[in-house]
Amino acid sequence: MSGIDQVWILLCAALVFMMQAGFMCVEAGITRTKNNISVAIKNISDFSISVLLYWAVGYGLMYGSSVSGLFGSSEFAFGKLGETDAYVYFIFQAMFCGTAATILSGAVAERCAFHAYLVITAITVTFIYPVFGHWAWATDTAGDPVGWLGIAGFHDFAGAGVVHAVGGGVALAAILVLGPREGRFLETGQPRRFNGSNLPLTMLGVFLIWFGWFGFNGGSALGFTSQVPALLLNTLISGASGVLFGLGVSWIFERKPSVFFGMNGGLGGLVAITAGCDLFGPREAVLIGAVGGLVVFFGDRALERLKIDDVVGAVSVHFLAGLWGLLAVGLFGADSLGTSAGSQLGIQIVGIITICLFSALGGFILLHILNRVLPLRVTQHVETIGLNVGEHGANTDLNELFEVMQRQARDRDLSARAPQSPFTEVGQIGLFYNSVLFELERSFSRAQQQQIELADLLEQKNTLLESILPKRIAARMNDGSSQIVDQITDATVVFVDIVDFTEYAGSVPPEDSIALLRDLFGKFDEVITDYDLEKIKTVGDSYMYVSGVTNEQSDHCAIAVDAAIEILFQTRQMGLGMGRELNVRIGIHSGPLVAGVVGDLRFVYDLWGMTVNMASRIEEAGVPGKISASQAVVDRIGGEFIHERQSRVRLKGIGPTIIYSIEGRRTELKKTKRGFSRFLKSDQEI
């Protein structure tokens, strides 16, 4: 290899390396703000892992001495390679390995746990990618293929199959195991796209990837040969064709030129031409890029119909367009290879089937097993608040502004000020927001003066409101709030439902069933008062209370569980007194919610949000006589209480959820406002 060849390949390796920045921009811009930092750290982490593991294991499996055309057996964690050419080749191939690994990041964004992502990356770069790469690309010292696919005549010039389809196949396997993001598909089955945090950043990423692709395809000539200009021209033309056809087909079917499909159509065209850019002329490149753009559009829509959630479209861009590129070699490149179209198409199809079985199906089996041992998905609570904060503790100016707003909505503390700066958009919002707060403070002061003049009327109003609303809520309304609505970042909701009450009510006189409700709910009211919790409402034979909403309790979750244990005890005691079995089902969940007062003729204080829905669904799926709780509850109070996994169920409107049974406290006694309770030893059932 001449000096100019070495310089060219190293330059191309640098261009391929820059594609990592492009992937990061694409993924960070297309994900929601609360997850974009998580995507960025995944990109730099997977590249770093892939380089080191490729040096330690992958390169040897891929290009070491072949064992029956199946895998390499030398050059593991090499100390030196001997020749400069070998180092140049390793650096170039390491960039390809990093590209295959990072394809996964965008597909699994917004719900894959960081530790799980690193494990999947390690599996990809130490086993899946290098083994298939050996089958397709490994050669002996004379340059003759030694992998079984290469010997058979399989052609993949720059990695449409080896890099992109393999990486996309692993991405498909991962998103099938993980499942869709919360809220991605409505109950009706209709898909819903989330707004990306910065689409111009995504477009910049596409340009960076496109620019880096000149190194991807141009460097695969393994020298600055006369073939390079044609390779670069085909790369340029196919990408442009993919953009226009992606835009065009979205314009026809969606009645608007989609930015998403314009960008991904271009990437699909680039992936498709990669397999045979050394075989085609410009006319074929235009056609192959155009079909690549169409494959991306229809592939993405097919995944949506199957309720498969691919955040950035990685499967349609890399896996499906990569397979199309391999197929195009057999359709248009046989003459350049000196073979018949039929025979070349046959071996290309064999390669396609191998990729599907090895990377997609094999990857799915591996990840399904891994998910049983090491859950790949973050908890629902972390997914709700975002992986930036939930996994990495990475706050932003926007989050800080939201926190101030939420505290003010909860505490009515208008003296607090938002972070402000004239140099950032969020800082400017904070500046104007603080100006509004200043005016609100002045207005509030004037309102207080008016309230003094209306003291007698307000006292009457307060008496009336306290008879129908929680005292603290009534007080806030009397302070001048015509509308009560709070966004609570953390609270605990509990649903209690009497088991088989309908059958009981049908078998006794109405007075008896009403008496049972009155007496039992009266006991519940005493428990709620004892624990300083808030009763929200009763609906039929259901009773709902909440902690951490109308007053601040740092341990509100544990308090709510203690109250639930007491309710179980009181229910069973009443059943013993009646001479019949009396049971309730209890569902508990913690998380953010919205609380407020509604109604004109009659005020009602109520709660809304996924936390309320989750607690209700857990109660419905729970076991009579048991306290059923979500993962979020167990994460908070697991060390204080005895609990065990109850089941994994599919909750309506929520999806697959693990439910736990809480058996009791681990301590001998628990303290209430009235003293120490009289039951619950650590080895005693409820």
Side-chain angles (χ1 to χ4, degrees), residues 375-392:
L376 304 182
R377 186 163 182 157
V378 297
T379 64
Q380 187 181 39
H381 174 68
V382 172
E383 186 174 348
T384 299
I385 65 175
L387 275 64
N388 291 353
V389 176
E391 283 216 303
H392 304 288

Side-chain angles (χ1 to χ4, degrees), residues 14-42:
L15 290 175
V16 178
F17 176 64
M18 192 169 61
M19 292 174 70
Q20 294 290 328
F23 282 117
M24 188 277 293
C25 290
V26 167
E27 295 162 13
I30 214 166
T31 53
R32 289 171 287 183
T33 303
K34 64 180 182 179
N35 297 306
N36 55 10
I37 296 174
S38 169
V39 168
I41 191 64
K42 283 185 172 72

Side-chain angles (χ1 to χ4, degrees), residues 5 70 87 124 139 167 223 301 313-314 369 439 494 508 538 568:
D5 289 338
L70 298 177
Y87 289 103
T124 302
T139 60
R301 294 189 65 167
I369 296 172
E439 293 301 324
V494 183
V508 299
T538 62
L568 274 184

Side-chain angles (χ1 to χ4, degrees), residues 499 571 575-576 578-583 624:
V499 177
T571 302
L576 291 175
M578 296 171 58
R580 67 183 301 273
E581 184 178 0
L582 187 61
N583 265 328

Side-chain angles (χ1 to χ4, degrees), residues 301-458:
R301 294 189 65 167
L303 292 176
E304 281 194 336
R305 288 193 180 92
L306 295 172
K307 296 184 179 180
I308 299 174
D309 183 16
D310 181 356
V311 178
V312 300
V315 173
S316 55
V317 168
H318 298 279
F319 183 64
L320 299 180
L323 298 184
W324 153 242
L326 294 176
L327 194 65
V329 170
L331 295 175
F332 306 110
D335 289 343
S336 298
L337 291 171
T339 62
S340 66
S343 62
Q344 189 61 44
L345 187 61
I347 187 55
Q348 295 300 115
I349 291 174
V350 170
I352 289 171
I353 294 173
T354 302
I355 290 174
C356 293
L357 293 177
F358 186 62
S359 69
L361 180 58
F364 177 80
I365 294 172
L366 283 174
L367 298 185
H368 182 73
I369 296 172
L370 177 63
N371 191 43
R372 296 293 186 91
V373 180
L374 179 73
L376 304 182
R377 186 163 182 157
V378 297
T379 64
Q380 187 181 39
H381 174 68
V382 172
E383 186 174 348
T384 299
I385 65 175
L387 275 64
N388 291 353
V389 176
E391 283 216 303
H392 304 288
N395 213 345
T396 64
D397 290 343
L398 187 61
N399 285 337
E400 291 178 359
L401 178 60
F402 286 161
E403 288 174 1
V404 171
M405 292 179 173
Q406 288 169 350
R407 285 198 303 271
Q408 290 171 337
R410 181 182 66 247
D411 304 333
R412 297 286 178 175
D413 180 14
L414 298 180
S415 63
R417 291 294 181 261
Q420 60 184 48
S421 169
F423 305 110
T424 65
E425 291 182 356
V426 174
Q428 291 173 5
I429 294 173
L431 186 64
F432 286 106
Y433 179 72
N434 290 338
S435 299
V436 173
L437 285 179
F438 177 74
E439 293 301 324
L440 283 176
E441 278 191 295
R442 294 178 58 186
S443 299
F444 189 69
S445 297
R446 291 193 295 268
Q448 283 182 318
Q449 183 62 36
Q450 294 172 355
Q451 287 173 356
I452 294 174
E453 298 172 359
L454 298 173
D456 292 339
L457 293 176
L458 289 175

